[in-house]
Amino acid sequence: MAPRIAATAAEAVANIHDGATVMIGGFGNAGQPMELIDALMDCGATNLTVVNNNAGQADAGLALLIKERRVKKVICSFPRQSDSWHFDTAYRAGELELELVPQGNLAERIRAAGAGIGGFFTPTGYGTMLAEGKETRVIDGKGYVLETPINADFALIKALRADELGNLVYRKTARNFGPIMATAAKQSIVQVSEIVSTGSLDPENVITPGIFVDTLVTIGGNN
Amino acid sequence: MAPRIAATAAEAVANIHDGATVMIGGFGNAGQPMELIDALMDCGATNLTVVNNNAGQADAGLALLIKERRVKKVICSFPRQSDSWHFDTAYRAGELELELVPQGNLAERIRAAGAGIGGFFTPTGYGTMLAEGKETRVIDGKGYVLETPINADFALIKALRADELGNLVYRKTARNFGPIMATAAKQSIVQVSEIVSTGSLDPENVITPGIFVDTLVTIGGNN
Amino acid sequence: MSTETTTFTTTDAALTRDEMARLVAADIPAGAFVNLGIGQPTNVSNFLTTEQGVTLHTENGMLGMGPVATGEDIDEDLINAGKIPVTELPGASYFHHADSFAMMRGGHLDVCVLGAFQVSGSGDLANWHTGAPGAIPAVGGAMDLAIGAKATWVMMGLFTKTGESKLVQALSYPVTGLGCVSRIYTESAIFELAGGTVTVRSTHGISFEELAGRLPVELVKAA
Amino acid sequence: MSTETTTFTTTDAALTRDEMARLVAADIPAGAFVNLGIGQPTNVSNFLTTEQGVTLHTENGMLGMGPVATGEDIDEDLINAGKIPVTELPGASYFHHADSFAMMRGGHLDVCVLGAFQVSGSGDLANWHTGAPGAIPAVGGAMDLAIGAKATWVMMGLFTKTGESKLVQALSYPVTGLGCVSRIYTESAIFELAGGTVTVRSTHGISFEELAGRLPVELVKAA
């Protein structure tokens, strides 16, 4: 199905419901779908589980969602930063659940969800606090931890450009979590700088095939 | 390390040793590194384990390696074809071991090897003859089979174009197993139509980063 | 998702292969992503309309596959899973084998249409191996396709050459996938499978009662 | 693979941070693929020579990372793992997070250089968490990097502010990875770790005997 083209970020996120699991792409500011996050803030959905590399910074985006206690749980690799004060406060108050996942396991668990893999043995985290309570196994003399897929109801992603079928290309390190989150969510909502006509993207260079994209919205130009 | 540029296919495969596990890319003729396979035939290495989607066709390439009993084991998804007579003969004579793997599990096992994954639970094959003797598990009501990575000593791959650092792009459905085999082999030997200068490939469009490529050889033009 | 009526219908004559393919094509929802297996299912593509906007997946690494290539359009780097030269439609994309089967296994395709040796009333599928002594097994993507798509439909003759039903209580051929088939198109009838119940949607050249007398599974007539 | 001598050497003065970085840089083999962790290790890049032909990986999705970007070259879509704007060298490539960590976890990088809180004589690494009560944990890519590369080297001060050795018999801080560190660069000495044996390659501003007296692990002097 060709993706729905939303006129605004608000329209793009309008069906995100209370209690949803929402993946949010980006690593630092690169690939962060800031307008979609702001729209999620405005749409009022609460009791969210958010999957992101971080847990919000300063007074914008995900940090605001956390400040307003709209997030019940964060699954991420690196919550604590110099400016993660809203996370810090909510977490210390016991008002935010944290599932801390090594970054590569986070990426692989997201991929596994999109790829229909039921679980996988990863060497990352073996013998550490983050493997406590998890199944482990020594394979050919090397220790591994069993990790499970992370699925989501929605993914909010920033790409550079889409065609009308939702095929996506990204820009430099802003690619990061976008392509795998698009595969792991029931609905992928993607903000792009422009939507070009079908046939304008070289099929060899499509990074996310349109099958993984449900909603597109154009936001400004590439900044 | 920038890849070695071999002058000929023979030079490219010269270090493939007896008893090696060799992955061979291609699906049908698309992406099949025919000149490298021919060179492997000529180089004399024997007692090989070959990982390929098929088990050779007609009287060329992999089929000849099998005919000459240079292959002790084939790991593949689809050995029997209308023109797989050399495989059929060797297999029926008990002179060739076959590990039959569903095609998607084959691809995922190759990827797992390249990605350092110790094993994964896949739904494909659950409840079938090909899961016999394998560990199974029901996860959220769905049956899965534990599959293990497939590593190799060498991968023989055909790509369209390389730069001097070994970054690769492929052409249409000839891409197939190339990118994952390049990650799973200790040494990847790649035949290309041309080697372009470093900087000529758009970094956004590189499919196999040069880190996965050890040897390049230019063979004719793209046919 | 599907457009078929649940009202029982009947026609005087058995369906021809083209009629079966036409019915399958008409049942594919607009905008669906579809994989058509080798053999009879491939014929379905001839009856898909442009207005349906169906996107075809071929598991050797492509979305947006076009019709079979002829003449000058034949390109050995562009083939389908049956190794037949095909064409590329605007908005196509290419990807490697692991990504292609992840797309399938991860449940991203809406419909997969396959041939079969047998289907059980509970939707178990046998289509990869006769189990005959001495037969060389070859599985290809059959097991991945059987369990991957959101819906797996089968096209087959309802009876063997010796008149036995291929819709069975329990498979006698080796399993391809368990409980995966939700619909069967045959020359004599179209069946819906759900939760162990086999509903006959239509009969062709045979009455419901005659059919019920010939098949070893309990049948429910569509309302 | 490495170019260092095994002859024991000593200098009168402790190493400065730049001298440490210069030594690490000199030890990186020509043509290596390297990931430099955040903090002190980042400084190593300033001492790599063009002739070395080292390719830098940043785990947020890039090979071929160039120096830190300044002025007009700053591009918010092009950052390193420390979220600092960087540049792109000819022959670079971009990939998504799962592919990037697969590259790391799969053992494709030659060297990873990390900071540390503690390293044990058997190469266990602690560098992600102080374990202090109430501290908010954040792991990022630390665990993936620790166990992924062919060689993991540590740069750290040898002593805490209160004079305790950070090279320990057993970690008191939470584990990042077990048995993963093979070399430690400190201001006072450089250590090689292998099979539980700690060999001192050089001392700086301290004699081997003094060092042996201050450290809680048994030391072997390089020949």
Side-chain angles (χ1 to χ4, degrees):
Chain A
M1 188 76 75
R4 175 174 72 109
I5 313 272
T8 63
E11 189 187 317
V13 305
N15 58 347
I16 298 185
H17 51 80
D18 290 356
T21 295
V22 182
M23 291 179 169
I24 302 179
F27 182 92
N29 287 326
Q32 190 173 192
M34 189 54 85
E35 287 77 5
L36 290 176
I37 304 171
D38 288 346
L40 176 59
M41 183 73 194
D42 295 340
C43 89
T46 190
N47 210 25
L48 303 171
T49 295
V50 170
V51 183
N52 181 249
N53 189 58
N54 301 106
Q57 295 179 257
D59 290 297
L62 177 52
L64 283 187
L65 281 169
I66 289 171
K67 178 188 180 194
E68 298 299 327
R69 300 297 185 271
R70 303 265 292 281
V71 180
K72 70 173 175 190
K73 180 178 178 181
V74 172
I75 302 175
C76 74
S77 86
F78 208 81
R80 189 206 53 216
Q81 301 190 76
S82 58
D83 55 357
S84 62
W85 44 73
H86 292 308
F87 168 83
D88 298 2
T89 303
Y91 180 74
R92 289 193 200 283
E95 292 168 359
L96 179 61
E97 188 185 346
L98 170 65
E99 181 177 347
L100 188 69
V101 185
Q103 198 172 145
N105 286 356
L106 183 65
E108 190 70 10
R109 290 176 65 186
I110 294 167
R111 179 197 177 268
I117 297 298
F120 58 91
F121 286 102
T122 171
T124 300
Y126 181 78
T128 76
M129 184 191 287
L130 297 187
E132 280 170 18
K134 298 192 173 185
E135 182 176 336
T136 60
R137 187 174 297 200
V138 175
I139 303 169
D140 293 337
K142 187 169 175 177
Y144 293 84
V145 186
L146 181 66
E147 291 284 359
T148 54
I150 301 176
N151 289 280
D153 297 302
F154 299 93
L156 305 184
I157 292 165
K158 181 181 176 180
L160 173 62
R161 192 176 291 122
D163 69 14
E164 294 157 334
L165 295 182
N167 292 305
L168 304 180
V169 294
Y170 299 82
R171 189 165 176 277
K172 302 189 185 283
T173 59
R175 188 184 300 190
N176 60 69
F177 285 95
I180 51 174
M181 286 182 171
T183 70
K186 288 194 199 104
Q187 288 189 48
S188 298
I189 303 166
V190 184
Q191 67 173 69
V192 292
S193 299
E194 60 172 335
I195 300 173
V196 297
S197 61
T198 298
S200 304
L201 298 179
D202 185 339
E204 301 285 359
N205 302 339
V206 169
I207 302 300
T208 293
I211 190 172
F212 298 118
V213 175
D214 299 277
T215 300
L216 288 173
V217 61
T218 305
I219 305 282
N222 180 60
N223 49 3
Chain B
M1 188 75 76
R4 176 174 70 111
I5 313 271
T8 63
E11 190 187 316
V13 304
N15 58 349
I16 298 184
H17 50 80
D18 291 356
T21 295
V22 183
M23 291 179 169
I24 302 178
F27 181 92
N29 286 326
Q32 190 173 191
M34 189 53 86
E35 287 78 4
L36 290 176
I37 304 171
D38 287 348
L40 176 59
M41 182 74 193
D42 294 340
C43 89
T46 189
N47 211 24
L48 302 170
T49 296
V50 170
V51 183
N52 182 249
N53 189 58
N54 303 105
Q57 295 178 257
D59 290 298
L62 176 53
L64 283 186
L65 281 168
I66 289 171
K67 179 188 179 194
E68 298 299 326
R69 300 297 186 270
R70 303 264 293 280
V71 180
K72 70 172 173 189
K73 180 177 178 181
V74 171
I75 302 175
C76 74
S77 87
F78 209 80
R80 189 205 54 215
Q81 301 189 78
S82 58
D83 55 356
S84 62
W85 44 73
H86 292 307
F87 168 83
D88 298 3
T89 303
Y91 179 75
R92 289 193 199 284
E95 292 168 0
L96 179 62
E97 188 185 345
L98 169 66
E99 181 177 346
L100 188 70
V101 184
Q103 199 171 146
N105 287 356
L106 182 66
E108 189 70 10
R109 290 175 67 185
I110 293 167
R111 179 196 177 269
I117 297 297
F120 58 89
F121 285 102
T122 171
T124 302
Y126 180 79
T128 76
M129 186 191 286
L130 297 187
E132 280 170 18
K134 298 192 175 186
E135 183 177 335
T136 60
R137 187 175 298 201
V138 174
I139 302 169
D140 292 337
K142 186 167 174 177
Y144 293 85
V145 185
L146 181 65
E147 291 284 359
T148 54
I150 301 175
N151 288 280
D153 298 302
F154 299 93
L156 305 184
I157 292 165
K158 181 181 178 182
L160 173 62
R161 190 177 292 121
D163 70 14
E164 294 156 334
L165 295 182
N167 292 306
L168 304 180
V169 294
Y170 299 81
R171 189 164 177 277
K172 302 188 184 283
T173 58
R175 186 183 301 190
N176 58 70
F177 285 95
I180 50 174
M181 287 183 170
T183 71
K186 288 195 199 105
Q187 289 188 48
S188 298
I189 304 167
V190 184
Q191 68 173 67
V192 292
S193 299
E194 61 172 335
I195 300 173
V196 298
S197 62
T198 297
S200 304
L201 298 180
D202 184 340
E204 302 285 359
N205 302 338
V206 169
I207 302 300
T208 293
I211 191 172
F212 298 117
V213 175
D214 299 276
T215 300
L216 288 173
V217 61
T218 305
I219 304 282
N222 180 60
N223 50 0
Chain C
M1 192 192 88
S2 70
T3 55
E4 83 285 356
T5 171
T6 51
T7 308
F8 178 80
T9 58
T10 188
T11 62
D12 285 347
L15 299 173
T16 65
R17 291 191 163 211
D18 275 1
E19 285 167 340
M20 281 168 63
R22 188 187 304 273
L23 283 172
V24 173
D27 283 348
I28 292 176
F33 293 92
V34 176
N35 185 296
L36 299 174
I38 297 169
Q40 276 196 62
T42 302
N43 191 25
V44 171
S45 64
N46 295 322
F47 298 96
L48 291 168
T49 64
T50 309
E51 298 71 46
Q52 274 182 289
V54 166
T55 303
L56 295 181
H57 171 257
T58 181
E59 62 266 31
N60 52 317
M62 182 187 195
L63 271 175
M65 179 173 67
V68 164
T70 53
E72 300 252 309
D73 286 341
I74 291 174
D75 178 340
E76 76 164 12
D77 285 343
L78 180 47
I79 61 175
N80 66 14
K83 298 171 185 170
I84 307 296
V86 291
T87 51
E88 172 191 296
L89 295 181
S93 55
Y94 296 102
F95 27 82
H96 63 57
H97 243 79
D99 279 350
S100 186
F101 279 86
M103 191 181 287
M104 172 58 75
R105 192 193 310 109
H108 303 286
L109 295 173
D110 297 299
V111 180
C112 179
V113 187
L114 297 171
F117 297 148
Q118 288 181 329
V119 180
S120 81
S122 55
D124 300 344
L125 172 68
N127 74 348
W128 76 282
H129 189 26
T130 62
I136 295 176
V139 64
M143 290 183 180
D144 306 277
L145 299 179
I147 57 91
K150 287 173 192 151
T152 299
W153 298 349
V154 158
M155 296 175 76
M156 66 177 187
L158 184 52
F159 301 103
T160 65
K161 283 174 190 166
T162 54
E164 284 145 299
S165 173
K166 290 158 78 174
L167 174 54
V168 296
Q169 278 211 296
L171 302 179
S172 60
Y173 285 101
V175 175
T176 304
L178 296 176
C180 54
V181 177
S182 59
R183 193 178 296 165
I184 311 170
Y185 296 83
T186 74
E187 77 293 341
S188 301
I190 299 175
F191 305 89
E192 307 277 346
L193 279 58
T197 301
V198 180
T199 303
V200 180
R201 193 174 97 182
S202 61
T203 61
H204 306 278
I206 188 170
S207 71
F208 175 81
E209 292 68 24
E210 264 185 286
L211 189 73
R214 284 193 68 184
L215 300 191
V217 299
E218 197 176 334
L219 302 179
V220 173
K221 192 170 172 177
Chain D
M1 192 193 86
S2 70
T3 55
E4 83 285 357
T5 170
T6 52
T7 309
F8 178 80
T9 58
T10 187
T11 62
D12 286 345
L15 299 173
T16 64
R17 292 193 163 211
D18 276 0
E19 285 167 340
M20 281 168 62
R22 189 187 303 273
L23 283 172
V24 173
D27 283 348
I28 292 176
F33 293 92
V34 177
N35 185 296
L36 299 174
I38 296 167
Q40 275 196 65
T42 302
N43 192 25
V44 171
S45 64
N46 295 322
F47 299 95
L48 291 168
T49 64
T50 309
E51 299 70 46
Q52 275 181 289
V54 165
T55 303
L56 294 181
H57 171 256
T58 182
E59 62 266 30
N60 52 317
M62 182 187 196
L63 271 176
M65 179 173 65
V68 165
T70 53
E72 301 251 309
D73 286 341
I74 291 174
D75 179 338
E76 75 165 13
D77 285 343
L78 181 47
I79 60 175
N80 67 14
K83 299 173 183 169
I84 308 295
V86 291
T87 51
E88 170 191 297
L89 295 181
S93 55
Y94 296 102
F95 27 83
H96 64 57
H97 244 79
D99 279 350
S100 186
F101 279 85
M103 192 181 286
M104 171 60 74
R105 192 193 310 108
H108 303 286
L109 295 172
D110 297 300
V111 180
C112 179
V113 187
L114 298 171
F117 298 148
Q118 289 182 328
V119 181
S120 81
S122 56
D124 298 346
L125 172 67
N127 76 347
W128 76 282
H129 189 27
T130 62
I136 295 177
V139 65
M143 291 183 179
D144 306 276
L145 300 178
I147 57 90
K150 287 174 191 149
T152 299
W153 298 350
V154 158
M155 296 175 76
M156 67 177 186
L158 185 52
F159 301 103
T160 65
K161 284 174 189 166
T162 54
E164 285 147 297
S165 173
K166 290 157 77 173
L167 174 54
V168 295
Q169 279 210 296
L171 302 180
S172 61
Y173 285 101
V175 174
T176 304
L178 296 177
C180 54
V181 178
S182 59
R183 192 178 296 165
I184 311 171
Y185 295 83
T186 74
E187 77 294 343
S188 301
I190 298 175
F191 306 89
E192 307 276 349
L193 279 57
T197 301
V198 180
T199 303
V200 180
R201 193 174 98 181
S202 61
T203 60
H204 307 279
I206 188 170
S207 71
F208 174 82
E209 292 68 25
E210 265 184 286
L211 189 72
R214 284 192 67 183
L215 300 191
V217 299
E218 197 177 332
L219 301 179
V220 173
K221 192 171 171 177

